[in-house]
Amino acid sequence: MNFQLGTLVELSIYEGGSKNILTEAFALISSLENKLSRNKEQSEISGININAGISPIEVSDDTYFIINKSIYYSELSKGFFDITVGPLVSLWGIGTAEAKVPPLKEINNLVKLIDYQKIKLTPLNNLVFLEEKGMEIDLGAIAKGFIADKVCELFKEDGVKGAIINLGGDVRLLGRKPDGKLFRIGIQDPFEKRGVAVGVYEGENISIVTSGVYERYYEENGVRYHHIFNPKTGYPADNDIMGISVITEKAIDGDAISTSFFLLGSKEALALAEKLKDTEVIIITKDKRIILSNGINANFTLANNDFILEKN
Ligand code: FAD
Ligand code: MG
């Protein structure tokens, strides 16, 4: 267990792998963090942000891949998922000691800067350019998933047979438990603090990524302001969803989808989940319903009868 990426990183190996593999994995996470974090001055993301409106920057294949994928998810979510939310994330400061509800005028000024269509990519030499000065990329909604996938690849190459990779709620499963049973993953109760589950999901070789408001929020005058912003209003997303877990093969997709769906609300999220291949969702609404997409069936077991289970 380590504190990295501004969150708790837990890597559990059940079978296989060489002696130093955990050390290697934590080092891999650090090196990816150094490349992808906008809080690090020397990162590639900071390079892009500092040069917004000035010049394109050449980035590594990893960074290019994540930004390209992000744009795909912006289009899929009709612009709700947008990694150019950076200036808003800084203004609100949710999750930091400086969190506040900013003046409406400041929010409105920054909303104008948020537009994924102003990210210009040149595939030939991995160039990234933000067209307006002041624009900033923040990969908080997608990079943990990418990093979880990278750790999974490293484990596989090293001969690990069974492992759980958990980067602050972005979970990737490799194989099964040594006794041949499926892994059991607790689904976070979004009304409770981290670690309290509403139910259990059993699976193998999948990723399960959760977005919720149980951890990163700021309260003022009895109102809870969380960290997933509606790029159109500049305020935290406000709909019927309290928390959502997305099951996909790769965690990068689950991460982007969980944030996108959180922004879209349960009806649209569910409709989209049924359309996307190999994508299942567990949606927890504010009125304490748990809605499962079609393909979940016996994998999910409810553990708290305060919630009502609904199948799509
Ligand atoms: P998700 O739903 O997956 O993502 C929410 C995050 O995405 C928000 O916090 C915001 O950053 C961004 N976001 C908000 N609205 C949108 C939107 N509409 N579209 C797209 N993105 C949006 N935290 C720290 O406190 N200190 C650190 O030093 C730090 N370093 C980090 C380095 C890296 C490389 C990464 C990936 C994250 C880092 N974090 C850091 C962030 C921290 O771990 C976040 O809590 C986390 O990324 C949010 O993930 P989530 O699973 O809670 O929510
Ligand atoms: Mg996400």
Side-chain angles (χ1 to χ4, degrees):
M1 205 170 345
N2 251 354
F3 196 79
Q4 287 173 298
L5 307 165
T7 188
L8 209 55
V9 169
E10 277 178 281
L11 305 178
S12 320
I13 294 182
Y14 290 78
E15 196 181 358
S18 55
K19 204 171 97 234
N20 291 326
I21 189 62
L22 281 178
T23 316
E24 263 182 63
F26 286 119
L28 173 66
I29 295 171
S30 284
S31 78
L32 289 170
E33 176 166 9
N34 288 336
K35 188 145 84 174
L36 301 172
S37 173
R38 74 182 187 111
N39 303 324
K40 309 242 179 212
E41 253 173 63
Q42 301 303 320
S43 74
E44 293 184 5
I45 297 303
S46 295
I48 297 168
N49 292 344
I50 293 161
N51 287 288
I54 303 170
S55 71
I57 291 294
E58 188 176 338
V59 298
S60 61
D61 290 345
D62 286 345
T63 304
Y64 193 87
F65 174 76
I66 301 171
I67 295 176
N68 202 24
K69 233 315 164 217
S70 299
I71 294 172
Y72 167 80
Y73 282 109
S74 295
E75 276 159 10
L76 187 77
S77 65
K78 296 181 295 189
F80 277 105
F81 183 89
D82 193 327
I83 55 170
T84 65
V85 291
L88 263 185
V89 173
S90 305
L91 179 69
W92 282 83
I94 309 285
T96 72
E98 284 84 47
K100 61 171 185 304
V101 180
L104 182 61
K105 211 171 142 213
E106 282 181 44
I107 295 175
N108 286 338
N109 279 338
L110 292 190
V111 164
K112 291 182 211 139
L113 273 179
I114 299 167
D115 185 358
Y116 73 93
Q117 286 167 318
K118 290 184 178 163
I119 307 174
K120 293 296 163 202
L121 298 182
T122 314
L124 195 64
N125 42 2
N126 282 5
L127 293 183
V128 184
F129 180 50
L130 301 177
E131 288 188 323
E132 305 268 346
K133 233 184 157 54
M135 282 180 78
E136 274 186 73
I137 287 179
D138 177 318
L139 296 181
I142 187 164
K144 280 192 304 181
F146 174 80
I147 297 171
D149 291 336
K150 282 282 185 185
V151 172
C152 189
E153 276 170 37
L154 174 75
F155 280 179
K156 259 193 222 165
E157 282 163 17
D158 192 64
V160 174
K161 296 277 181 293
I164 302 180
I165 298 150
N166 184 354
L167 311 184
D170 283 32
V171 176
R172 177 96 195 242
L173 305 178
L174 172 58
R176 289 187 171 214
K177 289 198 280 190
D179 61 6
K181 293 209 173 111
L182 298 172
F183 284 118
R184 292 167 57 81
I185 302 299
I187 300 297
Q188 175 68 38
D189 180 343
F191 296 91
E192 296 289 340
K193 60 182 187 309
R194 177 185 287 239
V196 181
V198 291
V200 174
Y201 185 86
E202 289 183 287
E204 63 179 317
N205 291 321
I206 44 108
S207 91
I208 176 156
V209 176
T210 301
S211 275
V213 298
Y214 50 93
E215 205 162 69
R216 236 167 229 256
Y217 61 82
Y218 165 72
E219 235 158 25
E220 192 176 289
N221 300 327
V223 182
R224 188 178 280 199
Y225 299 91
H226 62 78
H227 66 136
I228 301 176
F229 297 104
N230 179 340
K232 299 164 208 268
T233 63
Y235 279 82
D238 188 15
N239 55 47
D240 63 337
I241 297 183
M242 188 72 182
I244 180 160
S245 298
V246 175
I247 296 124
T248 48
E249 184 203 343
K250 294 221 162 84
I252 186 170
D253 298 301
D255 200 350
I257 292 173
S258 69
T259 308
S260 300
F261 282 9
F262 192 95
L263 284 150
L264 287 170
S266 71
K267 214 168 147 213
E268 276 195 69
L270 208 58
L272 204 49
E274 303 300 9
K275 264 196 236 159
L276 293 174
K277 205 171 142 270
D278 299 329
T279 304
E280 302 300 336
V281 289
I282 299 169
I283 298 173
I284 305 176
T285 60
K286 286 181 180 159
D287 60 0
K288 295 206 158 183
R289 287 174 301 132
I290 300 182
I291 312 169
L292 307 180
S293 62
N294 248 321
I296 288 197
N297 304 320
N299 304 70
F300 180 78
T301 316
L302 186 67
N304 181 340
N305 289 323
D306 292 344
F307 291 84
I308 296 165
L309 199 58
E310 287 179 15
K311 294 213 169 146
N312 190 33

